[in-house]
Amino acid sequence: MTGEKKRVEVCYSPSQWHLYKNNYEIAVVIDVLRATSAICTAVENGVTIVPVSSVEEAKDYQNKGYIAAAERDGQIVEGFDMGNSPVSYKDPELKGKTVVLTTTNGTTAINIAREKETVVIGSLNNLDSLCKWLKEQDKNILLLGSGWKDKFNLEDTICAGAIADELIESQKFFAEEDSTIAAKFIYRSAKENIFSFLKASSHRKRLRNLNLNEDVKYCLTPNNLTVVPILKGDEIVAVNLEVEKA
Ligand code: 3SL
């Protein structure tokens, strides 16, 4: 540890990445509904995830014999057996396997962030263990919300605000951007009941219309997982919390 405070900031969507990206060693990619919640669930269950941006790339992997999962606009893409419902990644049959995954926003955000030295995956599900690990790193951190098709969304902002709040409160981090201050206050307003706070939000409505309310409840449950998933080459695997530093 240098003893010097490090910086933590929030970027609301991949479309703003170029405005925020400089001077951070760690990027945390967040897509609460549902990509990064699904990835955290998968990795905790011993599944390796290969995130790809397009359906075509996922198809190429599938043709080579990989298990491939694809979601667009909340639905499983035709020709794929899986999408990004977190619960589907709890299947004991998947343990020890690799799944190639593409989603509308989350996997693209991961691939945008991969220019950083370290990319880790955040969700409400792994909030506490992720914050604990981030506090141990002594690095500058950018929290990237995946948003919806390049727009701001509330759920990723709440999660980013929760992480920023915890890191700043530890006195090891500071923030200067208004995006971070706003995310922190949105989180503080939402934290007692995130599910009801998001009632009118666009993505909750979209998923409700697809009968995916149970997935939403799962994704909005803080700390039901302890994994910290990290991008290593093309694969997302679990950080070994006992020994690993970024
Ligand atoms: O945007 C994404 O990456 C998806 O998680 C969206 S959805 O929750 O499947 O609609």
mmCIF file of all heavy atoms in Angstrom, residues 31 33-35 71 73-75 84 103-107 147-148 203 206-207, ligand 1:
data_model
loop_
_atom_site.group_PDB
_atom_site.id
_atom_site.type_symbol
_atom_site.label_atom_id
_atom_site.label_comp_id
_atom_site.label_asym_id
_atom_site.label_seq_id
_atom_site.Cartn_x
_atom_site.Cartn_y
_atom_site.Cartn_z
ATOM 1 N N ASP A 31 -23.405 -5.152 -15.094
ATOM 2 C CA ASP A 31 -24.666 -5.236 -15.845
ATOM 3 C C ASP A 31 -25.637 -6.033 -14.979
ATOM 4 O O ASP A 31 -25.833 -7.232 -15.180
ATOM 5 C CB ASP A 31 -24.455 -5.909 -17.202
ATOM 6 C CG ASP A 31 -25.705 -5.851 -18.062
ATOM 7 O OD1 ASP A 31 -26.748 -5.361 -17.571
ATOM 8 O OD2 ASP A 31 -25.653 -6.284 -19.216
ATOM 9 N N LEU A 33 -28.813 -6.274 -14.567
ATOM 10 C CA LEU A 33 -29.895 -7.009 -15.259
ATOM 11 C C LEU A 33 -29.445 -7.280 -16.697
ATOM 12 O O LEU A 33 -29.586 -6.416 -17.542
ATOM 13 C CB LEU A 33 -31.192 -6.193 -15.261
ATOM 14 C CG LEU A 33 -31.812 -5.887 -13.890
ATOM 15 C CD1 LEU A 33 -33.018 -4.969 -14.035
ATOM 16 C CD2 LEU A 33 -32.196 -7.152 -13.151
ATOM 17 N N ARG A 34 -28.926 -8.502 -16.980
ATOM 18 C CA ARG A 34 -28.672 -9.584 -16.072
ATOM 19 C C ARG A 34 -27.266 -10.172 -16.289
ATOM 20 O O ARG A 34 -26.889 -11.120 -15.620
ATOM 21 C CB ARG A 34 -29.687 -10.718 -16.349
ATOM 22 C CG ARG A 34 -31.145 -10.395 -16.068
ATOM 23 C CD ARG A 34 -32.087 -11.462 -16.625
ATOM 24 N NE ARG A 34 -32.132 -11.387 -18.087
ATOM 25 C CZ ARG A 34 -32.630 -12.350 -18.849
ATOM 26 N NH1 ARG A 34 -33.103 -13.463 -18.318
ATOM 27 N NH2 ARG A 34 -32.647 -12.224 -20.173
ATOM 28 N N ALA A 35 -26.542 -9.587 -17.267
ATOM 29 C CA ALA A 35 -25.314 -10.270 -17.734
ATOM 30 C C ALA A 35 -24.290 -10.513 -16.630
ATOM 31 O O ALA A 35 -23.783 -11.630 -16.481
ATOM 32 C CB ALA A 35 -24.692 -9.500 -18.880
ATOM 33 N N GLU A 71 -28.051 -13.888 -25.865
ATOM 34 C CA GLU A 71 -29.268 -13.134 -25.508
ATOM 35 C C GLU A 71 -29.293 -11.830 -26.297
ATOM 36 O O GLU A 71 -28.266 -11.166 -26.437
ATOM 37 C CB GLU A 71 -29.250 -12.842 -23.993
ATOM 38 C CG GLU A 71 -30.270 -11.795 -23.514
ATOM 39 C CD GLU A 71 -29.781 -10.349 -23.693
ATOM 40 O OE1 GLU A 71 -28.559 -10.116 -23.667
ATOM 41 O OE2 GLU A 71 -30.616 -9.460 -23.906
ATOM 42 N N ASP A 73 -32.115 -8.461 -26.546
ATOM 43 C CA ASP A 73 -33.383 -7.859 -26.101
ATOM 44 C C ASP A 73 -34.101 -8.715 -25.064
ATOM 45 O O ASP A 73 -35.334 -8.814 -25.073
ATOM 46 C CB ASP A 73 -34.299 -7.572 -27.302
ATOM 47 C CG ASP A 73 -33.684 -6.509 -28.199
ATOM 48 O OD1 ASP A 73 -33.044 -5.573 -27.668
ATOM 49 O OD2 ASP A 73 -33.812 -6.618 -29.420
ATOM 50 N N GLY A 74 -33.317 -9.357 -24.212
ATOM 51 C CA GLY A 74 -33.898 -10.113 -23.100
ATOM 52 C C GLY A 74 -34.261 -11.540 -23.445
ATOM 53 O O GLY A 74 -34.661 -12.300 -22.561
ATOM 54 N N GLN A 75 -34.118 -11.932 -24.711
ATOM 55 C CA GLN A 75 -34.558 -13.278 -25.081
ATOM 56 C C GLN A 75 -33.407 -14.128 -25.618
ATOM 57 O O GLN A 75 -32.445 -13.583 -26.190
ATOM 58 C CB GLN A 75 -35.663 -13.172 -26.131
ATOM 59 C CG GLN A 75 -36.914 -12.567 -25.520
ATOM 60 C CD GLN A 75 -38.024 -12.439 -26.526
ATOM 61 O OE1 GLN A 75 -37.976 -11.606 -27.434
ATOM 62 N NE2 GLN A 75 -39.038 -13.267 -26.372
ATOM 63 N N ASN A 84 -29.038 -15.548 -20.755
ATOM 64 C CA ASN A 84 -28.285 -15.067 -19.597
ATOM 65 C C ASN A 84 -29.120 -15.033 -18.320
ATOM 66 O O ASN A 84 -28.896 -14.178 -17.459
ATOM 67 C CB ASN A 84 -27.630 -13.716 -19.875
ATOM 68 C CG ASN A 84 -28.631 -12.645 -20.111
ATOM 69 O OD1 ASN A 84 -29.803 -12.953 -20.303
ATOM 70 N ND2 ASN A 84 -28.214 -11.404 -20.093
ATOM 71 N N THR A 103 -24.276 -11.078 -24.896
ATOM 72 C CA THR A 103 -25.508 -10.448 -24.411
ATOM 73 C C THR A 103 -25.634 -9.063 -25.038
ATOM 74 O O THR A 103 -24.673 -8.536 -25.601
ATOM 75 C CB THR A 103 -25.513 -10.313 -22.869
ATOM 76 O OG1 THR A 103 -24.564 -9.313 -22.490
ATOM 77 C CG2 THR A 103 -25.193 -11.622 -22.170
ATOM 78 N N THR A 104 -26.798 -8.461 -24.896
ATOM 79 C CA THR A 104 -27.052 -7.186 -25.586
ATOM 80 C C THR A 104 -26.033 -6.106 -25.200
ATOM 81 O O THR A 104 -25.508 -5.406 -26.063
ATOM 82 C CB THR A 104 -28.480 -6.681 -25.254
ATOM 83 O OG1 THR A 104 -29.398 -7.733 -25.503
ATOM 84 C CG2 THR A 104 -28.862 -5.478 -26.096
ATOM 85 N N ASN A 105 -25.773 -5.975 -23.920
ATOM 86 C CA ASN A 105 -24.902 -4.875 -23.475
ATOM 87 C C ASN A 105 -23.676 -5.337 -22.674
ATOM 88 O O ASN A 105 -22.587 -4.786 -22.819
ATOM 89 C CB ASN A 105 -25.696 -3.910 -22.581
ATOM 90 C CG ASN A 105 -26.955 -3.418 -23.261
ATOM 91 O OD1 ASN A 105 -26.904 -2.593 -24.170
ATOM 92 N ND2 ASN A 105 -28.114 -3.946 -22.856
ATOM 93 N N GLY A 106 -23.885 -6.318 -21.799
ATOM 94 C CA GLY A 106 -22.847 -6.666 -20.821
ATOM 95 C C GLY A 106 -21.554 -7.182 -21.425
ATOM 96 O O GLY A 106 -20.464 -6.743 -21.050
ATOM 97 N N THR A 107 -21.653 -8.111 -22.385
ATOM 98 C CA THR A 107 -20.409 -8.689 -22.914
ATOM 99 C C THR A 107 -19.667 -7.669 -23.792
ATOM 100 O O THR A 107 -18.441 -7.675 -23.852
ATOM 101 C CB THR A 107 -20.678 -10.001 -23.684
ATOM 102 O OG1 THR A 107 -21.645 -9.764 -24.710
ATOM 103 C CG2 THR A 107 -21.181 -11.079 -22.730
ATOM 104 N N GLY A 147 -25.254 -0.156 -19.059
ATOM 105 C CA GLY A 147 -26.363 0.638 -19.606
ATOM 106 C C GLY A 147 -27.270 -0.186 -20.494
ATOM 107 O O GLY A 147 -27.264 -1.420 -20.476
ATOM 108 N N TRP A 148 -28.082 0.510 -21.264
ATOM 109 C CA TRP A 148 -28.932 -0.177 -22.249
ATOM 110 C C TRP A 148 -28.718 0.476 -23.608
ATOM 111 O O TRP A 148 -29.083 1.622 -23.811
ATOM 112 C CB TRP A 148 -30.417 -0.130 -21.853
ATOM 113 C CG TRP A 148 -31.277 -0.872 -22.847
ATOM 114 C CD1 TRP A 148 -32.010 -0.316 -23.855
ATOM 115 C CD2 TRP A 148 -31.433 -2.289 -22.972
ATOM 116 N NE1 TRP A 148 -32.618 -1.311 -24.588
ATOM 117 C CE2 TRP A 148 -32.293 -2.528 -24.066
ATOM 118 C CE3 TRP A 148 -30.941 -3.385 -22.260
ATOM 119 C CZ2 TRP A 148 -32.668 -3.818 -24.469
ATOM 120 C CZ3 TRP A 148 -31.322 -4.661 -22.665
ATOM 121 C CH2 TRP A 148 -32.175 -4.864 -23.747
ATOM 122 N N HIS A 203 -35.698 -1.178 -17.731
ATOM 123 C CA HIS A 203 -35.317 -2.577 -17.915
ATOM 124 C C HIS A 203 -36.129 -3.513 -17.025
ATOM 125 O O HIS A 203 -36.406 -4.647 -17.408
ATOM 126 C CB HIS A 203 -33.821 -2.767 -17.697
ATOM 127 C CG HIS A 203 -33.311 -4.008 -18.365
ATOM 128 N ND1 HIS A 203 -33.703 -4.386 -19.632
ATOM 129 C CD2 HIS A 203 -32.472 -4.973 -17.953
ATOM 130 C CE1 HIS A 203 -33.125 -5.528 -19.956
ATOM 131 N NE2 HIS A 203 -32.373 -5.916 -18.947
ATOM 132 N N ARG A 206 -39.164 -4.014 -19.001
ATOM 133 C CA ARG A 206 -38.885 -4.889 -20.154
ATOM 134 C C ARG A 206 -38.851 -6.354 -19.709
ATOM 135 O O ARG A 206 -39.456 -7.219 -20.330
ATOM 136 C CB ARG A 206 -37.524 -4.476 -20.741
ATOM 137 C CG ARG A 206 -37.252 -4.943 -22.133
ATOM 138 C CD ARG A 206 -35.917 -4.386 -22.660
ATOM 139 N NE ARG A 206 -35.911 -2.952 -22.860
ATOM 140 C CZ ARG A 206 -35.118 -2.088 -22.201
ATOM 141 N NH1 ARG A 206 -34.275 -2.515 -21.283
ATOM 142 N NH2 ARG A 206 -35.167 -0.805 -22.441
ATOM 143 N N LEU A 207 -38.168 -6.640 -18.599
ATOM 144 C CA LEU A 207 -38.040 -8.028 -18.132
ATOM 145 C C LEU A 207 -39.355 -8.542 -17.548
ATOM 146 O O LEU A 207 -39.685 -9.718 -17.685
ATOM 147 C CB LEU A 207 -36.890 -8.143 -17.127
ATOM 148 C CG LEU A 207 -35.492 -7.901 -17.724
ATOM 149 C CD1 LEU A 207 -34.415 -7.941 -16.628
ATOM 150 C CD2 LEU A 207 -35.139 -8.909 -18.805
HETATM 151 O O1 3SL B 1 -27.804 -6.239 -21.678
HETATM 152 C C1 3SL B 1 -27.428 -7.346 -21.375
HETATM 153 O O2 3SL B 1 -26.280 -7.702 -21.501
HETATM 154 C C2 3SL B 1 -28.471 -8.297 -20.859
HETATM 155 O O3 3SL B 1 -28.140 -8.686 -19.597
HETATM 156 C C3 3SL B 1 -29.848 -7.742 -21.023
HETATM 157 S S1 3SL B 1 -31.150 -8.762 -20.462
HETATM 158 O O4 3SL B 1 -31.276 -8.666 -19.033
HETATM 159 O O5 3SL B 1 -30.946 -10.119 -20.847
HETATM 160 O O6 3SL B 1 -32.359 -8.224 -21.089
#
